[in-house]
Every structure is written in structure tokens, then in C-alpha cells.
Amino acid sequence: ISKTRSRTCTSSTSATVSPSPAPEITVNLPRVKRSLRKGIPFVKHCSDLRKRDRVLCLNRAETRVGWKRGQPETTMVSLRDIDAVRMASEVDPAASLLKPVAGTHILRQTADGPTIMKRAFSLVLVDRTLDIECGSELEARTLCAAFKVMVRDEKVKYGDIAG
């Protein structure tokens, strides 16, 4: 059962951005989930191009993610609805292949330089992104890797993707 094991995720960057892949990171998934249930402070990069201090959190069932303490579950995002989880330093597949760029459209407009991009990641949905700036690069890489596992596990559970 995934609640009792740590997961190892490999986070790599496309060769067009960096010639070497990011080092592998080991994530203690139960610990990350505990921290998310309590809430982790972060900066949300918003579609109105403002940045807001928020708290990243999971619901009790660990199936939805929110960005405000006490947020109603109905306004939280289902992990199952997340199409991709990407570090801001990874190439945006929606960008031109002729001129690849990293990060989401919002992050490219709101991040104050490459340092911010190293400590940010995005939860990508069909109609929006949740762009998250963490306190450190390690925190961003850890949360990004954990969300990749949680999203995959949720999709496998419902048969959206094969396990």
C-alpha cells in the first residue's frame, strides 16, 4: 500500500533546456501527504498576473488539492483531473517547437527570473494551471515528484490509465 512506502521519482528536464537530467529524488510520500493535510505555505502565480500567498493542502481523502486553509472540497481540484505535473524549468509542450520555453504561460509572465523558475512547479489541467512557487528548489522538486505519484495513483485507481 502506497501509504506505507516511500516512492522514488525521476524528474528530468528536456535536452533542449539542459543537457543533463535532473538528479533523481526520493520522496517520503506519507510524510509529504501529512504535510499537505496540515498545509504548506507557497506563492500562487495567478492568471491576473498577481502573486498571492496561499497554503497548499490535500483533503482528508487525499484525492483533492486546494490552495486555501479550510477551502471547501467542492472548490478544490481533483487529482484525477490534473493532466500534467511539471517543474517550471521543464519545457512547456504547448509552446512552439521552434522556440521551446520552460514553465507555463502564467509563470513566464510572473516569475522574477530563473531563480523563481527553479523553485516552482505547475499542476496542469485542461482549462487552467495551478502555478506554485515554493520556498526552495528542494521543496519544489519534492512536491512536484509527490504530485506526479499521487496523480498517477489516482488515475490508475479509477482506470483512467493503466498501472
Side-chain angles (χ1 to χ4, degrees):
I1 297 176
S2 66
K3 291 184 179 183
T4 60
R5 294 191 328 239
S6 293
R7 297 281 179 103
T8 301
C9 299
T10 303
S11 174
S12 62
T13 305
S14 173
T16 57
V17 172
S18 173
S20 61
E24 190 173 88
I25 186 167
T26 301
V27 175
N28 182 328
L29 195 56
R31 180 179 292 156
V32 171
K33 286 180 175 183
R34 261 192 317 275
S35 294
L36 283 166
R37 281 193 310 272
K38 292 177 184 174
I40 299 173
F42 77 103
V43 175
K44 183 176 183 285
H45 289 249
C46 303
S47 58
D48 64 4
L49 305 184
R50 294 180 62 196
K51 296 183 235 178
R52 294 176 173 88
D53 291 333
R54 296 288 189 242
V55 177
L56 194 62
C57 51
L58 280 179
N59 66 341
R60 284 184 186 227
E62 300 174 347
T63 58
R64 295 178 147 316
V65 62
W67 47 93
K68 295 179 185 172
R69 213 179 293 278
Q71 183 174 352
E73 283 195 28
T74 55
T75 65
M76 296 173 102
V77 171
S78 170
L79 293 176
R80 192 174 171 197
D81 292 339
I82 296 171
D83 291 331
V85 181
R86 268 196 333 261
M87 284 298 297
S89 56
E90 292 180 54
V91 171
D92 181 357
S96 166
L97 294 175
L98 299 174
K99 185 180 177 197
V101 291
T104 64
H105 178 71
I106 304 253
L107 277 173
R108 288 193 299 273
Q109 294 181 69
T110 60
D112 300 322
T115 303
I116 301 297
M117 296 296 266
K118 288 181 182 179
R119 62 177 200 241
F121 72 99
S122 300
L123 303 177
V124 181
L125 292 93
V126 170
D127 58 345
R128 64 177 294 190
T129 60
L130 180 56
D131 298 297
I132 299 160
E133 178 187 332
C134 298
S136 70
E137 182 178 353
L138 179 61
E139 182 181 47
R141 290 182 58 231
T142 300
L143 287 171
C144 183
F147 271 105
K148 285 181 181 188
V149 171
M150 291 187 293
V151 167
R152 185 198 63 218
D153 287 354
E154 195 68 11
K155 289 179 180 285
V156 167
K157 181 167 79 175
Y158 286 97
D160 297 341
I161 60 172

